[in-house]
Amino acid sequence: MVNIIPFKAVKPTRAIVGLVASRPYQSYTLDERESRMAYNPYSFLHVINPGYKYAQEVTGEERYKLVRNRYLEFKEDGVFVQDEKPSFYVYKIVNRQGQEFCGIIAATSAEDYEKNFIKKHEDTIAKREETFKKYLQTVGFNAEPVLLTYPDNCVIADIITETQKTYAEFEFTMTYRDTHYLWKVDDEETIATIQTEFSKMDTVYIADGHHRSSSSYLLYKDEKAKNPNHNGSESYNYFMSYLIPESDLVIHEFNRLIKDLNGLTKEEFLIKLDTFYRIENRGIMPYNPSKPHHFSMYLDGEFYSLYLRKTSYDFKTALDELDAQLLYKTILQPILGIEDLRQNNRISYVNGKHEMITIKSSVDSGEFKVGFGMCPSNVEQMKQIADEGLTMPPKSTYILPKLRSAITIYEY
């Protein structure tokens, strides 16, 4: 039983929402951040990068307090306004490739995360969880929803379709040429119907935002323990999510680039690969894998296809079937000596939206020695791995849509 509730979102005004909304802070280079803040006083980057006002870098608890101050200033100046009624929000993104994503922004239950009604497929890092929990406790708001996915539901789909026939509260296009639409759903009967449909679901799945989910859960545990009058209705019992149907989710792969061959010559490396794979030289033209358990490789100016020798690898779990895991277990770990995929600086990742020519360019530049391309996983694989209580290797999926911050804000 999945529990979602409406909430009173804090939102930019319609006139400036396109100026306020931003990508996640880490996705900008320093020059990009500086440029946007220099020319756009409404950018949410001013809130989450408060040291810009004083021309210095501010970190830790001091930064969190300044973020809180900048946020309150945006509210005082009328940049942000809070809705009067708890609402759900139908949110649609159309990207420049014409892909359309549409779902519901709601408050989801931290207790559901605890009970595994909200399932994860990635590991989280305890230090990052704790850091973001402290951030939330200090600033008192969250401006970017967790991306959750649910089984396609015709009742919810009909509500979303009918809602889109009405006047959109927001409609704006960002510099990346993706267009965003937002509709408020505050009719009590419609809200109740949406809640009922979600209550019939056994599980929803985290598509993107594992650390935000786990940090929100830690916040819930902390605040619940400190509150002798806890009754379950407090805002910390929930966190903001964007729920989209599984059919709307788009999953790309992350390809791998490696800086060296772990002391092996090219010939020695190919011989070791032969243990697990049938290898074919494909020449100088970019080559893409065509099916699961089939990889492309770029090495020394040439592309290769790698076909798994099925007798050399046992598939015992859903994780074993995942190509990112297969590549790790047969090549990256045993041959190239890469144990820790998160921390090892010999490996880099390129999301599958980029073509294999990106792999070629990176290797030809001399920065990397070899690159691997793979096919993307799918929603069913992601769900099965989560259902089995397993976790994918880092950078196994590049999931769309990518959300903007500060279109809706959830206050604690």
Side-chain angles (χ1 to χ4, degrees), residues 183-223:
W183 293 264
K184 186 192 300 184
V185 179
D186 58 6
D187 173 72
E188 292 183 6
E189 184 177 344
T190 305
I191 286 173
T193 300
I194 293 171
Q195 288 180 297
T196 298
E197 292 303 311
F198 274 99
S199 72
K200 296 175 184 177
M201 300 177 191
D202 294 328
T203 309
V204 294
Y205 296 83
I206 302 172
D208 196 11
H210 284 78
H211 282 91
R212 275 172 281 135
S213 302
S214 57
S215 299
S216 297
Y217 169 64
L218 292 179
L219 174 70
Y220 152 77
K221 287 207 305 181
D222 269 15
E223 296 303 313

Side-chain angles (χ1 to χ4, degrees), residues 11 89-91 105 168-170 180-184 407-408:
K11 308 194 303 293
Y89 302 89
V90 170
Y91 179 36
I105 295 175
E169 182 174 0
F170 293 157
H180 300 253
Y181 306 82
L182 188 82
W183 293 264
K184 186 192 300 184
I407 295 174
T408 57

Side-chain angles (χ1 to χ4, degrees), residues 130-190:
E130 189 67 24
T131 296
F132 193 61
K133 181 202 74 173
K134 290 178 180 176
Y135 172 85
L136 294 176
Q137 284 175 321
T138 304
V139 305
F141 68 87
N142 189 11
E144 185 183 343
V146 173
L147 180 62
L148 301 179
T149 188
Y150 62 89
D152 286 41
N153 179 292
C154 59
V155 175
I156 297 172
D158 286 345
I159 290 173
I160 290 174
T161 298
E162 288 301 310
T163 300
Q164 291 181 72
K165 294 177 181 178
T166 63
Y167 181 70
E169 182 174 0
F170 293 157
E171 179 181 346
F172 62 97
T173 300
M174 303 291 289
T175 53
Y176 272 61
R177 290 182 290 164
D178 50 344
T179 303
H180 300 253
Y181 306 82
L182 188 82
W183 293 264
K184 186 192 300 184
V185 179
D186 58 6
D187 173 72
E188 292 183 6
E189 184 177 344
T190 305

Side-chain angles (χ1 to χ4, degrees), residues 96-110:
R96 58 182 167 181
Q97 287 79 33
Q99 294 169 310
E100 186 173 304
F101 310 94
C102 197
I104 295 172
I105 295 175
T108 45
S109 169

Side-chain angles (χ1 to χ4, degrees), residues 2-105:
V2 175
N3 175 26
I4 68 169
I5 64 168
F7 68 101
K8 297 178 182 179
V10 175
K11 308 194 303 293
T13 61
R14 178 182 175 87
I16 59 173
V17 61
L19 296 172
V20 174
S22 72
R23 304 200 313 270
Y25 179 79
Q26 298 86 349
S27 69
Y28 293 96
T29 65
L30 177 60
D31 286 344
E32 284 177 325
R33 287 200 303 268
E34 295 282 336
S35 174
R36 278 162 173 75
M37 288 187 286
Y39 294 102
N40 179 6
Y42 297 112
S43 174
F44 188 64
L45 291 172
H46 285 284
V47 174
I48 55 178
N49 188 31
Y52 177 80
K53 182 176 181 180
Y54 304 106
Q56 66 177 8
E57 190 73 22
V58 185
T59 60
E61 188 72 20
E62 185 179 25
R63 173 176 171 254
Y64 303 163
K65 291 177 180 177
L66 289 176
V67 167
R68 176 68 178 170
N69 291 344
R70 294 293 88 73
Y71 174 67
L72 293 176
E73 287 171 8
F74 266 44
K75 290 185 73 175
E76 291 164 2
D77 293 342
V79 176
F80 288 138
V81 179
Q82 187 165 30
D83 284 340
E84 294 182 359
K85 290 180 62 177
S87 305
F88 289 134
Y89 302 89
V90 170
Y91 179 36
K92 181 169 75 172
I93 305 170
V94 182
N95 66 20
R96 58 182 167 181
Q97 287 79 33
Q99 294 169 310
E100 186 173 304
F101 310 94
C102 197
I104 295 172
I105 295 175

Side-chain angles (χ1 to χ4, degrees), residues 232-269:
S233 66
E234 299 87 353
S235 58
Y236 59 72
N237 290 280
Y238 297 88
F239 58 95
M240 183 171 63
S241 297
Y242 178 42
L243 300 112
I244 69 170
E246 291 172 5
S247 59
D248 269 17
L249 204 65
V250 174
I251 302 179
H252 292 284
E253 71 281 10
F254 266 105
N255 295 320
R256 273 64 170 147
L257 285 161
I258 315 297
K259 290 188 175 181
D260 59 70
L261 297 182
N262 197 28
L264 301 171
T265 65
K266 172 185 172 181
E267 291 72 23
E268 290 169 337
F269 176 60

